[in-house]
Amino acid sequence: MSEAAEHVPPAGTTSVRRSRDVPLLVERARAGDPRAVARLITLVENGDALLPAIAAALAPYAGQAQVVGLTGSPGVGKSTTTNELVRALRAQGHRVGVLAVDPSSPFTGGAILGDRVRMQDHATDPGVYIRSMSSRGHLGGLAAATPQAVRVLEGAGCDVVLVETVGVGQAEVEVASLADTTLVLLAPGMGDAIQAVKAGILEIADVFVINKADRDGVDATVRDIQGMIALGERGPGQWRPQVVRSVAARGEGIDDIAAAIDKHRGWLVEHGELRRRQEARAAAEIEAIALGTLRARIGSLRDGTELATLATKVAEGALDPYTAADELLAQLAR
């Protein structure tokens, strides 16, 4: 199901590439047509007017895929690890979707979208769909359209969706709200014990992957992470993050990563945490859509006189900004 998987266009390909027939696109995506999947994700990314119809058509398939997030600093081997995880998951018979988010330029808005280059091993596998997405300036390590793109891949019948974030820093933790299981990749020599106990990205890990474990200092890195885990307060039955070593470039430790993901999945199901995470993800999605609609409505007020009038009163000191904001919300409600 890779975008490069089909060399002979199936019947109706031309219409699918430009189609705005949502039921047709969803039907073709369910049948494994990579062009239909690509078309749906493109519509989602562009915030097309068809987005509500697409979401409604995909709603029956929500929550059917296991969503695994991979994050970490640039250069730790996220794409290589993702590539090897795809191989392991395909060996287990799973259909796999990959969303690889690349940074966009703050100056031109462009993006290289190069993560797929590292995953060419699966380009001809019809059971794999790989899509690179530009962050388009969205902070948090993901693109704004990533949650809806995950829904598209769920609707397309993917058993597992791997979401690889932009190479992130300490505070980009949005992937944890999207994934059922979050992998944080580290490499030896990227920090000391103090770095390991700082708040942020290290706190969101369900599984720590110490990649490039053939380097010097791997034992110290593992020891620092295990020490950080020991500092956390956990009640009986709560999940304790796993620490796994790997050398993804040689395919070493990938089975251990897959086993840790399966173990976490089992814990999620057993403790009802999977449903809680899915509901929290849905709540965040609803909130984001509602806030986006409100921002659009507020933006439309700039074309009128209401916002300008309130701004003038605040600037003159005749009105405080909180009261002005209340009046603006009242106008939006009307």
Side-chain angles (χ1 to χ4, degrees):
M1 201 163 57
S2 168
E3 286 178 294
E6 301 286 346
H7 298 290
V8 180
T13 294
T14 302
S15 61
V16 165
R17 282 176 174 168
R18 298 296 179 185
S19 176
R20 297 182 64 79
D21 184 339
V22 172
L24 170 67
L25 290 171
V26 172
E27 178 186 350
R28 295 292 293 273
R30 294 286 296 167
D33 184 346
R35 292 170 178 81
V37 179
R39 177 63 173 157
L40 286 169
I41 293 180
T42 296
L43 291 169
V44 163
E45 276 194 290
N46 293 338
D48 194 275
L50 290 175
L51 186 50
I54 293 171
L58 294 173
Y61 313 110
Q64 295 185 8
Q66 181 180 4
V67 183
V68 178
L70 295 92
T71 189
S73 302
V76 295
K78 294 188 298 298
S79 295
T80 305
T81 301
T82 300
N83 183 65
E84 294 302 317
L85 267 179
V86 170
R87 193 188 313 279
L89 291 166
R90 289 295 291 143
Q92 296 174 10
H94 295 302
R95 294 179 69 180
V96 184
V98 179
L99 295 173
V101 185
D102 280 317
S104 55
S105 168
F107 303 105
T108 66
I112 294 177
L113 303 181
D115 283 336
R116 271 196 314 173
V117 175
R118 299 188 179 97
M119 305 179 201
Q120 287 303 300
D121 295 347
H122 312 290
T124 58
D125 186 344
V128 179
Y129 183 89
I130 301 171
R131 174 77 174 222
S132 287
M133 304 179 70
S134 168
S135 64
R136 301 192 182 191
H138 184 75
L139 301 178
L142 300 177
T146 303
Q148 290 302 321
V150 168
R151 287 186 176 272
V152 171
L153 293 181
E154 284 182 319
C158 291
D159 302 307
V160 182
V161 177
L162 303 177
V163 180
E164 180 192 333
T165 73
V166 171
V168 296
Q170 289 177 326
E172 288 81 5
V173 296
E174 188 176 355
V175 68
S177 65
L178 177 66
D180 301 323
T181 301
T182 301
L183 275 58
V184 172
L185 275 69
L186 305 168
M190 299 192 72
D192 55 14
I194 300 299
Q195 194 75 10
V197 298
K198 286 185 178 181
I201 191 172
L202 296 184
E203 292 185 307
I204 68 172
D206 298 306
V207 178
F208 286 101
V209 177
I210 314 300
N211 193 33
K212 305 184 180 181
D214 52 347
R215 289 184 174 181
D216 293 338
V218 64
D219 291 334
T221 301
V222 171
R223 187 167 55 249
D224 291 341
I225 294 301
Q226 289 176 334
M228 183 207 73
I229 293 171
L231 291 175
E233 295 183 2
R234 293 177 183 82
Q238 285 190 302
W239 176 254
R240 181 183 176 87
Q242 306 287 289
V243 182
V244 182
R245 305 184 191 207
S246 70
V247 185
R250 297 204 297 257
E252 297 176 5
I254 302 302
D255 288 342
D256 293 335
I257 298 174
I261 293 172
D262 286 343
K263 184 177 181 180
H264 184 246
R265 176 77 173 189
W267 178 86
L268 290 173
V269 173
E270 180 183 352
H271 291 80
E273 182 68 11
L274 180 61
R275 175 57 62 183
R276 190 200 69 78
R277 292 193 180 195
Q278 289 173 339
E279 290 177 354
R281 187 157 68 229
E285 202 172 346
I286 295 167
E287 182 181 9
I289 293 169
L291 288 174
T293 301
L294 282 174
R295 289 191 189 99
R297 291 182 181 178
I298 290 173
S300 68
L301 289 178
R302 293 181 180 275
D303 298 329
T305 60
E306 295 90 347
L307 185 58
T309 301
L310 290 170
T312 299
K313 291 181 179 179
V314 171
E316 292 175 345
L319 198 65
D320 68 90
Y322 287 92
T323 302
D326 287 340
E327 290 189 20
L328 181 63
L329 289 174
Q331 291 174 15
L332 287 172
R334 290 195 295 270

